[in-house]
């Protein structure tokens, strides 16, 4: 047991993954019963999802967005860029593992060199020297790995606090969490601080996008859902997804002679 700090261990609050998944599956089945015949086929759980979306939007308006806005206003841009580079470098470690799992040797090699150069020559990843050398990132997570090997997306889901997801991406969250270098830091206070800073940095990068969403979308829920599903499809197929098959039109019955 780790006794190096009196801070609460945020990993313990995540609970047992198997139990959480059973609870989620039960919720999905119950919500699916409430879906009407005109529901979006990709979003059969829309009634539940909209409720969770409204909850997330309220939490964001009251807490997350003000903190992110204050962070952007108080911290100079070069410092924010360094923080973002640092966390991107850490995420490249898990991207490397997923590039290997997906059988992408070229992307895996480039990601390996990205991590190596940014860690050694970029002050632990604060400077993105790899991009200046022409090594572009190849972001991958376990949800994309499952999609690469044919696991279907499943229904669209909005998770509390975490936001848009799918059944496949939700099932992969445990692996993505365990693969995160930040999550595996043993010192509790350090880990909690890094997780908090990562969350603030991520939300701060979405402040401008949130303004565009508020101004452009009549139905923010539908817009967010469609953008997320399209992006994840592009991510799985590396920007070149196959054309989706359209449902065949119903054939009208022949007229009686």
């Amino acid at each position: 047991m780790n006794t190096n700090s009196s801070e609460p261990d945020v990993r313990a609050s995540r609970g047992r993954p198997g139990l959480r998944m059973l609870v989620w599956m039960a919720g999905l089945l119950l919500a699916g019963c409430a879906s009407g015949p005109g529901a979006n086929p990709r979003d059969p759980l829309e009634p539940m999802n909209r409720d969770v979306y409204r909850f997330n939007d309220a939490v964001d308006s009251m807490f997350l967005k003000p903190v992110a806005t204050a962070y952007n206003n108080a911290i100079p841009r070069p410092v924010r860029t360094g923080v973002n580079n640092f966390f991107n470098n850490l995420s490249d470690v898990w991207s490397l593992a997923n590039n290997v799992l997906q059988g992408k040797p070229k992307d895996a090699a480039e990601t390996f060199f990205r991590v190596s150069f940014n860690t050694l020559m970029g002050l632990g990843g604060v400077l993105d020297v790899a991009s200046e050398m022409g090594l572009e990132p190849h972001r991958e997570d376990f949800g994309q790995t499952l999609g690469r090997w044919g696991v279907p997306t499943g229904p669209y889901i909005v998770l509390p606090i975490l936001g848009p997801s799918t059944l496949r991406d939700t099932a992969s969250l445990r692996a993505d969490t365990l693969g995160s270098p930040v999550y595996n830091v043993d010192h509790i206070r350090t880990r909690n601080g890094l997780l908090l800073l990562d969350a603030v940095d991520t939300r701060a990068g979405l402040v401008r996008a949130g303004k565009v969403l508020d101004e452009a979308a009549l139905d923010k829920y539908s817009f967010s859902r469609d953008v997320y599903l399209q992006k994840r499809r592009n991510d799985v197929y590396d920007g070149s997804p196959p054309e989706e098959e359209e449902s065949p039109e119903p054939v009208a019955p022949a007229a009686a002679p």
Side-chain angles (χ1 to χ4, degrees):
M1 180 179 295
N2 190 346
T3 59
N4 59 2
S5 172
S6 60
E7 292 285 323
D9 189 339
V10 296
R11 294 185 298 189
S13 66
R14 297 178 184 272
R16 290 169 292 176
L19 178 60
R20 294 202 319 275
M21 186 55 61
L22 288 175
V23 172
W24 266 105
M25 289 301 296
L28 295 180
L29 292 174
L30 290 174
C33 296
S35 300
N40 187 312
R42 299 178 300 175
D43 187 11
L45 312 173
E46 185 171 342
M48 180 189 73
N49 285 336
R50 283 188 178 271
D51 288 340
V52 178
Y53 180 86
R54 283 189 287 268
F55 168 79
N56 288 348
D57 195 45
V59 172
D60 184 71
S61 298
M62 290 187 292
F63 301 107
L64 303 181
K65 183 178 179 179
V67 171
T69 302
Y71 175 81
N72 281 341
N73 294 335
I75 306 300
R77 180 182 294 274
V79 177
R80 299 199 311 269
T81 300
V83 170
N84 187 256
N85 288 341
F86 173 77
F87 286 112
N88 284 341
N89 187 53
L90 292 180
S91 70
D92 277 343
V93 176
W94 185 231
S95 292
L96 170 59
N98 281 284
N99 275 301
V100 172
L101 291 173
Q102 293 180 34
K104 299 177 179 178
K106 179 177 180 294
D107 291 352
E110 290 182 355
T111 305
F112 171 79
F113 287 116
R114 273 188 61 83
V115 174
S116 301
F117 292 147
N118 283 340
T119 301
L120 297 176
M121 296 187 292
L123 304 178
V126 174
L127 303 177
D128 186 6
V129 297
S131 291
E132 297 179 2
M133 299 170 64
L135 293 171
E136 296 302 320
H138 301 283
R139 307 287 185 215
E140 302 288 346
D141 55 46
F142 197 63
Q144 291 169 246
T145 298
L146 294 178
R148 170 82 172 182
W149 295 112
V151 176
T153 302
Y156 176 71
I157 305 171
V158 181
L159 301 176
I161 306 299
L162 299 180
S165 185
T166 62
L167 184 58
R168 182 184 66 204
D169 290 344
T170 301
S172 70
L173 280 177
R174 184 63 177 174
D176 286 331
T177 301
L178 292 175
S180 167
V182 174
Y183 179 87
N184 289 284
V185 173
D186 287 330
H187 191 271
I188 297 174
R189 182 173 297 177
T190 301
R191 180 175 64 250
N192 288 356
L194 288 172
L195 290 171
L196 178 61
L197 180 58
D198 188 17
V200 172
D201 173 69
T202 300
R203 182 60 184 89
L206 298 173
V207 169
R208 181 173 298 180
K211 294 179 179 178
V212 173
L213 175 62
D214 290 337
E215 296 172 357
L218 296 176
D219 182 357
K220 294 195 295 182
Y221 170 82
S222 297
F223 184 84
S224 300
R225 175 193 63 203
D226 295 344
V227 168
Y228 176 82
L229 292 176
Q230 181 178 358
K231 180 183 182 303
R232 290 300 288 171
R233 182 172 171 80
N234 284 336
D235 289 344
V236 169
Y237 291 100
D238 296 328
S240 301
E243 293 186 6
E244 296 185 84
E245 295 183 3
E246 297 183 359
S247 300
E249 294 293 332
V251 178

